[in-house]
Amino acid sequence: MRIAVAGATGNIGSRTVAVLEQSAHDVVRISRSHGIDLISGDGLDTALIGVDAVVDATSHETADRDEAVAFFGAATSNLLAAEERAGVRHHVLLSIVGVDRVDGNAHYAGKREQERLVAEGPTPWTIVPFTQFHDFAATVTSWTEHHGVATIPPLLVQPIAPADVAGILAEIATGAPQGRYRDVAGPEPQDLVDMARRTNDARGHAVKLVPTWSSLLGPDMAGDVLLPGKDARIAPTTFDDWLADPQ
């Protein structure tokens, strides 16, 4: 198949490209570094010529709700419009478990807008909600670390390995559209503070962790809000496995 990956140079996009190419698919990389801009639409029509399916693994980090909604709205609208012109038969969206249960987070607001556009759009689709990734704890501490101290919220998560995410996205992209897919998670619930401590220890990175809620990750994410549903698909790689070999 000829499959396009939006966000092809990112954490998940680059891994998805690798998995697809290992299976001998023809992969089109959609990113600004490859001359394709989702916000302006430049290069999209040419990139999607002959494409069978699109995997959207784009991301955008911002604490501003309006900016997040505007980014995901524009990027998704342009991508879907170009897909319709090209006759793309399947749009696969990387989304988040619990995205409808958290109102105060800017990124979640943007992802909800993205999901809405895909579900109402012209291309047959599959939306795949994943839990947080194994490297999420390290990402959160990198946002707040200052002079050897980092704040981190005491979230309960059931994280998944980025390599497992990529493999599942590639698998779904080569099949028929399924609408809203079941939740996808890693095998074990984890405390985010403990994940951060263990990640730092494994990397030899000394930082004092201060558990606290923040404006980005607040109490509306507490409890089981971020955990997968009962019928979730469970990926195989444990957090300990990933720490030993962070692929």
Side-chain angles (χ1 to χ4, degrees):
M1 295 175 63
R2 184 170 172 83
I3 300 173
V5 178
T9 58
N11 182 26
I12 301 301
S14 59
R15 289 176 168 85
T16 305
V17 167
V19 173
L20 289 167
E21 288 186 335
Q22 287 167 8
S23 298
H25 296 290
D26 181 16
V27 180
V28 178
R29 293 164 172 81
I30 295 178
S31 70
R32 281 178 293 181
S33 63
H34 289 87
I36 307 165
D37 193 321
L38 287 174
I39 299 302
S40 68
D42 291 346
L44 267 178
D45 285 333
T46 300
L48 294 184
I49 292 173
V51 164
D52 301 295
V54 170
V55 176
D56 187 354
T58 54
S59 188
H60 183 68
E61 288 189 10
T62 178
D64 185 281
R65 185 188 188 97
D66 291 341
E67 181 184 336
V69 171
F71 172 86
F72 283 112
T76 305
S77 295
N78 287 335
L79 186 55
L80 291 171
E83 288 174 8
E84 184 176 25
R85 292 190 293 270
V88 173
R89 299 192 299 271
H90 190 185
H91 181 101
V92 180
L93 175 62
L94 164 63
S95 194
I96 309 171
V97 167
V99 73
D100 292 324
R101 300 195 291 265
V102 179
D103 183 62
N105 183 277
H107 186 70
Y108 279 49
K111 294 297 288 186
R112 284 194 296 272
E113 175 66 3
Q114 190 179 36
E115 284 198 2
R116 182 188 70 80
L117 291 168
V118 169
E120 296 176 359
T123 307
W125 53 273
T126 307
I127 293 174
V128 193
F130 291 92
T131 54
Q132 281 68 34
F133 309 146
H134 284 332
D135 52 9
F136 182 61
T139 299
V140 173
T141 54
S142 73
W143 293 342
T144 64
E145 184 176 348
H146 185 65
H147 295 315
V149 179
T151 59
I152 185 166
L155 297 176
L156 180 62
V157 295
Q158 192 164 327
I160 184 171
D164 288 345
V165 174
I168 291 169
L169 287 173
E171 169 202 314
I172 290 172
T174 59
Q178 301 181 56
R180 179 166 290 277
Y181 198 78
R182 56 184 169 146
D183 291 350
V184 186
E188 302 166 332
Q190 301 281 346
D191 172 77
L192 192 68
V193 179
D194 185 58
M195 285 176 63
R197 177 188 58 77
R198 291 161 65 194
T199 302
N200 289 332
D201 287 348
R203 295 178 177 179
H205 181 59
V207 57
K208 179 180 178 181
L209 299 174
V210 180
T212 184
W213 296 110
S214 70
S215 59
L216 292 177
L217 303 170
D220 56 349
M221 291 184 166
D224 62 359
V225 170
L226 302 182
L227 298 184
K230 292 181 180 179
D231 64 341
R233 175 174 176 175
I234 302 301
T237 306
T238 67
F239 183 62
D240 285 334
D241 290 339
W242 177 81
L243 279 179
D245 185 18
Q247 299 298 321

